[in-house]
Amino acid sequence: MKTLKSIFAIIMLLLTVTACEKDGTDIYLSSPEGGALTATSSDVVLTKSLRNTIVLSLAWTQSELKVSDPSMSAPNVLQITLQVSSTENFSGKIAESSESALSKAYTGSELNTLVKNVGLTAGSASPAYFRLSVKTGDNMQPVYSNVVKVNVTPYNIDMSLGYILDSKKVDTGSSLASITSNGIYSGFLGVAGWYNFYMIEGDDTTWGNVGLDNSAFACSSDADKWNFWFPGQTGCYYTVVDTKAKEWSAMYISSLKVSGDLAGNMTFAKDSDRWTLDFTATEAGTKTVKIDGTGLQYNHDTSTDDTKAITTIVGFGGTSDNVTFGTTSSEIQVNVPAAGKYSLTLNLKNPKKWTCTAEKPSDAANAVSKYLYVSGADDNISGGWTFDNFLTLYSESAKAYEGVVNVNSKWGYKFFTTANDWTSNYGMADSGTANAGSIVAGGSTNITAPTAGLYLFDVSMSNLTYSLTQITNVYYAGFNTSGDEGGNWTLAEMTPSGTTGIYTAKVTLAGPCKWGAKIYINGSWDIFFGGSNGTLYYKGDGMEKTLGAGTYTLTVNLKTLTYTIQ
């Protein structure tokens, strides 16, 4: 039917034009022209770091039908297709894309995928040939533009890992593994309750949740996707993202028990994805242990409903340097090099290789610093560079810090890992802006300061990146919520006080709230603080779950990350 419509449209156009006469002269419609094609580069070397950068652009002249009488014109009914092949005569595999504009730009990721699809090999420079195909209908013979040759060196796309991104699509340093690169990724993640995330594959396909209500644990890579979100418990989850079935699952493991030569309950460290059990060895030797536990399985059928979660027995086995996971446990032999104090450590961070070893207690000197200092951001207020402003660690694995600073800077600012140590500075890398960018140790360039105002800083020292969000409004939500699905959350705006960073609100409670309340920045569900015992925690659990009925005054201080409710 589509073909018939195209033919009919062309016939009507021909009849219309050729039926016209001007002073007894027939008027004719010509065949289309192929257009002239050009490229911005003849050699492109691709790397993973260029995946989001425009690396090649093509442009062409307008293809059009022409009328023999220059005083008349024909409508544009042409079908224009950009073709790419690894052979100059286009006898091999061809990739095509329909085009309506007069140019095409490729990011590194897009070009890498395109040339590999037509047969180019990673790590080798090979020619890719581009041309335009122009025709007036599906059954019409096309005409072609000139052929443009571009030598492209693709990079290898590793589909064995899926990288976990936070709600702002920033790399967290955590990942899931697909050992056979079959699109099914699995591994252990330590997360807070209701943690939101995305997952990006090696080819830069980003996965999230289907953007529909009542669709938890359904996967989508569409542009309108939502975040994935975990159930409400904080801790260890065995996580599987199946991009083929377009579903994912999360098994919450609340506890693990060790038996054998060692016995006891292990402790989980969320930010490092490690389970540990401290013990003292009287001599060198081998400890034979078994590790068992119980999990709660959440999936598309159960949603995040705790009452529907499936109780599942879990266990670990294998060897100390290649631990396995399943529904039963087996003996693991762990080497103890000498007498002394140790931690039996089940390390689940690397999804391709889980280990169980006896480790010495962590050296405090190697611990991740709790604070990252911001100096120079308020020198137009304080009169100089101080270490009064600092960001707080919220993810040890990503070495990620956040904090709120009242910015009013003359010359820009830098980050410092140690208070009063001017040599511990990080400056701005090339192409950084006031809102986001990369940092470099000992960088001589100050980070560009934004316009004066209150800003939330989010810095990853693992990825050496920073981003700023100006705080324009502050809201709370979550009071008077109940039920397994969390109730009806409604954002209520708080009132700024006379002191920068302090906001207040009157809150009337009907009784305890199951999930607690959170503080939301600029009305975004992705930028929030939870809290407990008067302290706010970036992306933390809900605060004040047990308050009784009554009217309260809620006060939050974003600069000191504290709150009161009276």
Side-chain angles (χ1 to χ4, degrees):
M1 182 62 71
K2 181 180 178 182
T3 300
L4 291 175
K5 288 181 177 178
S6 297
I7 294 172
F8 181 73
I10 299 301
I11 291 172
M12 290 301 295
L13 178 62
L14 291 169
L15 290 174
T16 301
V17 176
T18 57
C20 294
E21 294 187 2
K22 184 177 181 182
D23 295 330
T25 301
D26 291 336
I27 300 172
Y28 298 97
L29 186 68
S30 72
S31 297
E33 297 178 350
L37 181 65
T38 59
T40 56
S41 178
S42 59
D43 291 278
V44 180
V45 178
L46 298 173
T47 63
K48 186 74 172 177
S49 62
L50 295 174
R51 63 187 182 274
N52 296 319
T53 302
I54 299 297
V55 295
L56 178 68
S57 295
L58 301 172
W60 51 90
T61 57
Q62 178 72 55
S63 298
E64 58 185 14
L65 293 167
K66 292 187 177 181
V67 182
S68 59
D69 186 333
S71 67
M72 302 183 67
S73 62
N76 185 11
V77 293
L78 300 179
Q79 296 178 6
I80 300 176
T81 303
L82 180 60
Q83 297 182 331
V84 187
S85 177
S86 60
T87 56
E88 189 171 9
N89 63 359
F90 287 75
S91 60
K93 187 175 181 180
I94 299 175
E96 297 184 327
S97 60
S98 296
E99 305 296 338
S100 57
L102 295 176
S103 63
K104 177 82 170 185
Y106 294 99
T107 64
S109 173
E110 292 168 339
L111 184 60
N112 194 70
T113 300
L114 178 69
V115 297
K116 292 192 74 175
N117 284 343
V118 298
L120 270 63
T121 303
S124 299
S126 303
Y129 298 95
F130 297 80
R131 73 180 181 186
L132 293 175
S133 168
V134 183
K135 57 184 179 179
T136 55
D138 291 343
N139 288 340
M140 301 298 179
Q141 286 297 316
V143 294
Y144 298 103
S145 71
N146 57 302
V147 175
V148 172
K149 173 185 172 182
V150 180
N151 289 315
V152 182
T153 304
Y155 61 86
N156 185 52
I157 298 177
D158 181 7
M159 298 296 286
S160 68
L161 285 175
Y163 301 93
I164 304 302
L165 311 179
D166 65 16
S167 58
K168 292 192 253 183
K169 297 184 179 179
V170 174
D171 191 351
T172 64
S174 297
S175 59
L176 303 175
S178 178
I179 302 301
T180 60
S181 300
N182 64 351
I184 303 174
Y185 301 85
S186 61
F188 292 90
L189 298 175
V191 298
W194 305 114
Y195 179 74
N196 294 295
F197 72 103
Y198 296 96
M199 188 194 78
I200 186 169
E201 295 184 275
D203 63 357
D204 290 333
T205 301
T206 302
W207 293 88
N209 205 84
V210 169
L212 297 171
D213 292 332
N214 303 315
S215 298
F217 295 100
C219 300
S220 173
S221 59
D222 295 340
D224 59 353
K225 59 184 173 290
W226 294 348
N227 309 115
F228 290 127
W229 65 91
F230 279 96
Q233 295 91 337
T234 295
C236 178
Y237 286 86
Y238 178 68
T239 306
V240 179
V241 177
D242 188 337
T243 65
K244 304 304 180 185
K246 295 189 176 181
E247 291 188 4
W248 73 288
S249 63
M251 182 189 295
Y252 172 62
I253 301 174
S254 60
S255 62
L256 290 177
K257 183 178 181 180
V258 178
S259 59
D261 292 341
L262 302 174
N265 294 318
M266 304 188 83
T267 300
F268 183 66
K270 174 174 66 69
D271 290 332
S272 59
D273 292 334
R274 287 175 168 84
W275 290 87
T276 59
L277 174 66
D278 292 338
F279 69 96
T280 300
T282 58
E283 59 183 1
T286 299
K287 300 293 185 183
T288 300
V289 298
K290 294 181 72 174
I291 303 175
D292 300 274
T294 302
L296 287 177
Q297 181 71 65
Y298 297 86
N299 53 36
H300 186 58
D301 294 328
T302 68
S303 186
T304 56
D305 189 338
D306 297 337
T307 64
K308 295 180 180 179
I310 304 167
T311 300
T312 306
I313 302 301
V314 299
F316 294 85
T319 62
S320 63
D321 62 352
N322 189 19
V323 171
T324 59
F325 174 71
T327 56
T328 59
S329 64
S330 60
E331 292 182 343
I332 304 172
Q333 293 187 329
V334 178
N335 178 57
V336 178
K341 293 184 177 181
Y342 292 90
S343 288
L344 178 69
T345 301
L346 179 63
N347 187 341
L348 304 175
K349 184 67 175 178
N350 182 351
K352 291 185 176 182
K353 188 176 182 180
W354 304 319
T355 61
C356 184
T357 57
E359 298 181 356
K360 285 290 187 179
S362 299
D363 185 351
N366 296 325
V368 178
S369 174
K370 184 178 180 180
Y371 301 111
L372 181 67
Y373 297 88
V374 186
S375 189
D378 68 344
D379 60 358
N380 211 24
I381 301 173
S382 62
W385 283 42
T386 72
F387 290 88
D388 295 336
N389 295 306
F390 57 87
L391 315 180
T392 304
L393 181 72
Y394 73 89
S395 174
E396 183 176 341
S397 60
K399 296 182 181 179
Y401 297 79
E402 63 71 37
V404 175
V405 177
N406 188 22
V407 176
N408 191 344
S409 176
K410 295 179 181 178
W411 316 111
Y413 62 93
K414 288 186 177 181
F415 297 116
F416 294 82
T417 57
T418 305
N420 301 309
D421 180 0
W422 299 104
T423 66
S424 67
N425 73 92
Y426 283 75
M428 185 173 67
D430 293 339
S431 74
T433 69
N435 296 319
S438 299
I439 54 177
V440 59
S444 59
T445 304
N446 292 345
I447 302 169
T448 302
T451 57
L454 193 67
Y455 289 83
L456 174 69
F457 285 66
D458 197 344
V459 180
S460 171
M461 295 302 290
S462 176
N463 297 317
L464 295 179
T465 57
Y466 66 92
S467 65
L468 278 68
T469 301
Q470 185 169 15
I471 298 175
T472 56
N473 305 91
V474 177
Y475 301 79
Y476 71 84
F479 288 118
N480 293 320
T481 57
S482 61
D484 291 330
E485 298 301 323
N488 179 25
W489 286 60
T490 301
L491 290 171
E493 188 169 0
M494 302 186 71
T495 303
S497 71
T499 303
T500 301
I502 297 179
Y503 298 79
T504 64
K506 289 289 185 182
V507 179
T508 300
L509 300 183
C513 47
K514 181 173 182 178
W515 307 111
K518 295 180 180 180
I519 306 301
Y520 294 88
I521 304 302
N522 299 343
S524 170
W525 294 109
D526 294 330
I527 310 175
F528 65 88
F529 293 87
S532 63
N533 300 320
T535 299
L536 294 174
Y537 297 99
Y538 188 49
K539 298 189 175 180
D541 199 6
M543 66 179 78
E544 305 302 323
K545 300 178 182 179
T546 60
L547 282 177
T551 299
Y552 299 82
T553 298
L554 172 65
T555 303
V556 298
N557 188 329
L558 296 179
K559 291 186 65 179
T560 61
L561 294 182
T562 56
Y563 74 94
T564 60
I565 183 162
Q566 299 175 331

